[in-house]
Amino acid sequence: GEVGVANGLAWTAVGGEMLKIEVALLEGTGKLELTGSLGDVMKESVRIALSLVKSKFPEADKILKTHDIHIHVPQGAVKKDGPSAGISLTTALASLITKKKVSPQIAMTGEVSLRGGIMPIGGLPEKLMAAARAGVKKVFIPKENEDDLKDIPKEITQKLEIVAVDQVDDVLKATGILKKQRSKTTE
């Protein structure tokens, strides 16, 4: 694993795809740089993820006043837009701020609310197939998508540890980024 990197899962017209979300911190003045052909929905997800990280990690605000953040989703020629990258963006940003690595054996999908909830997504079968193809061992999915697992072929679900979550804190704790005693839920 690397600091500032998290695996997201995306639905595409030809099936699912794993997206590596990369975040870098650079000397600067608090600017945000986005690359990788991100559409408007993903740009909104970035802003929500950034606000969540600032609310959960007080040191983030101080760091971000003297640094720029660059968020990149490789394969820039492929347009990326959809409401399911919020949790991976939040995790990558939190990893960067805390300097804690996220295992490359973990992937995730789910949009996040400004209050830290994880909202349901579409395309779960394709996303889980992409995770299995990529050799991922554990996948976080929105709790509200748990019933969709019955439609996933057993040969896919048997390859993955699938964890249904309803709060950002659940993922941040499970990845080791957020300690239990430090957790605070924004209400």
Side-chain angles (χ1 to χ4, degrees):
E2 299 175 62
V3 169
V5 177
N7 293 322
L9 296 168
W11 178 90
T12 68
V14 293
E17 182 179 346
M18 192 160 85
L19 298 175
K20 186 178 276 196
I21 310 287
E22 302 174 337
V23 184
L25 197 60
L26 312 160
E27 292 291 325
T29 58
K31 291 188 292 186
L32 181 62
E33 178 74 29
L34 304 175
T35 54
S37 294
L38 305 184
D40 290 340
V41 175
M42 278 194 71
K43 288 176 184 175
E44 284 184 10
S45 294
V46 166
R47 289 192 289 275
I48 291 168
L50 193 53
S51 291
L52 270 172
V53 169
K54 285 180 180 181
S55 74
K56 293 187 177 304
F57 302 96
E59 65 271 27
D61 206 34
K62 185 177 180 183
I63 292 168
L64 297 176
K65 286 181 181 169
T66 58
H67 291 80
D68 295 342
I69 288 187
H70 186 152
I71 298 175
H72 180 62
V73 183
Q75 298 176 320
V78 178
K79 185 163 173 68
K80 295 160 214 77
D81 204 21
S84 64
I87 189 57
S88 48
L89 288 162
T90 303
T91 302
L93 283 163
S95 167
L96 182 73
I97 293 300
T98 62
K99 296 182 174 66
K100 293 183 180 171
K101 298 176 184 178
V102 177
S103 169
Q105 297 294 307
I106 294 173
M108 53 200 75
T109 184
E111 192 50 79
V112 295
S113 74
L114 198 50
R115 300 193 183 279
I118 299 178
M119 299 177 285
I121 48 87
L124 187 61
E126 294 84 358
K127 291 174 181 181
L128 291 178
M129 283 187 251
R133 268 194 321 271
V136 164
K137 302 294 181 215
K138 181 186 277 190
V139 179
F140 293 99
I141 67 167
K143 188 106 172 141
E144 289 185 50
N145 285 103
E146 207 166 16
D147 286 343
D148 298 339
L149 291 173
K150 67 183 182 298
D151 300 327
I152 312 294
K154 289 255 188 262
E155 60 268 14
I156 299 298
T157 58
Q158 290 173 345
K159 290 181 182 179
L160 302 168
E161 178 186 351
I162 300 169
V163 182
V165 291
D166 60 4
Q167 291 291 315
V168 167
D169 284 0
D170 299 335
V171 175
L172 297 180
K173 287 176 193 173
T175 56
I177 292 172
L178 186 64
K179 295 179 182 173
K180 290 181 184 189
Q181 67 272 21
R182 189 160 174 212
S183 173
K184 67 177 185 177
T185 304
T186 308
E187 307 224 356

